[in-house]
Amino acid sequence: MPRQQQPAARPAARPVRRRSYDQFDATARALDSVGDRWTLLIVRELLGGPRRYTDLHADLPGVSTDVLASRLKDMEQSGLALRRKLPPPSAASVYELTERGHGLLPVLTALAEWGAPALAERRPTDAVRAHWFALPLLGALTGLTREGVLEVRLDEGEFHLHIGLRAGGGAGFVLPGAEAYGAVYGYGPADRPDAQIILGAEVCLELAQGGATLTEAVKDGRVEVLGDGPLAAELRGE
């Protein structure tokens, strides 16, 4: 009986090398890590704290599962994010930003400020999530000196901001008592907010663009402040 010919062994697959600008320049190096489509939007989502893969996919409409998985893997390799398992009884894994990944907060807030004028009109195909207004709103709240959890209510939904003092002084947005690179905001309503504000998305964007100050918007009734504590009093200008 003739011997069956064995199929030729396939050569080992070479590791895929990420594209690089190959320029000895800080901007080019930064874009090597975050210049791919969707990467900075994933950072935006993770600035709200650890998230499961399914939650990320749900809040990034338009991204394919393959692309999302690839970007998350790249972010892990670049030291921007890490994956960890939640303690029992949960068996879920979550992604979260590293300190270096959280260092992109000023980049995202600057991009949000730069891009805000392009939101003058909402396109019929535009998706929207309430927490996408968190970064544009940060600039309007930088003058606050009181610590606490601020719940923000929009027609699109709710989110909350962790307002406190960063290491070294100065107002910032961190979990009270957390490290300086803690979550910037939280999804949905807060469990025990120190203050609440109710406003429309248009007013939120106007504040982000500097068209009005928070004090002015509160005085003319376009922003409603709820709560009795020091943070609420400061928001009302008391």
Side-chain angles (χ1 to χ4, degrees), residues 53-65:
Y53 176 90
T54 52
D55 295 329
L56 285 171
H57 189 258
D59 279 337
L60 290 167
V63 68
S64 69
T65 54

Side-chain angles (χ1 to χ4, degrees), residues 44-192:
R44 177 196 66 191
E45 296 302 308
L46 294 180
L47 283 170
R51 302 208 73 189
R52 297 179 301 177
Y53 176 90
T54 52
D55 295 329
L56 285 171
H57 189 258
D59 279 337
L60 290 167
V63 68
S64 69
T65 54
D66 289 345
V67 169
L68 178 57
S70 175
R71 295 294 181 271
L72 287 168
K73 185 176 181 181
D74 289 343
M75 290 174 66
E76 288 184 83
Q77 293 176 344
S78 299
L80 301 177
L82 57 85
R83 182 185 180 190
R84 64 176 173 87
K85 284 190 175 182
L86 295 176
S90 175
S93 295
V94 294
Y95 292 89
E96 61 186 343
L97 293 177
T98 61
E99 182 176 3
R100 180 166 175 78
H102 203 277
L104 289 163
L105 173 59
V107 177
L108 268 293
T109 52
L111 277 174
E113 181 180 356
W114 183 80
L119 299 179
E121 204 171 312
R122 186 180 300 180
R123 296 173 296 198
T125 56
D126 281 343
V128 64
R129 302 289 188 273
H131 65 268
W132 292 351
F133 292 91
L135 293 183
L137 188 59
L138 288 182
L141 301 175
T142 52
L144 294 175
T145 61
R146 300 291 187 175
E147 298 183 16
V149 178
L150 174 63
E151 183 176 287
V152 182
R153 298 183 187 177
L154 304 171
D155 291 339
E156 290 76 9
E158 299 149 328
F159 62 91
H160 54 282
L161 299 168
H162 306 282
I163 301 177
L165 294 177
R166 287 191 178 277
F173 298 85
V174 298
L175 284 165
E179 296 178 78
Y181 55 94
V184 175
Y185 64 86
Y187 302 92
D191 290 335
R192 299 178 65 181

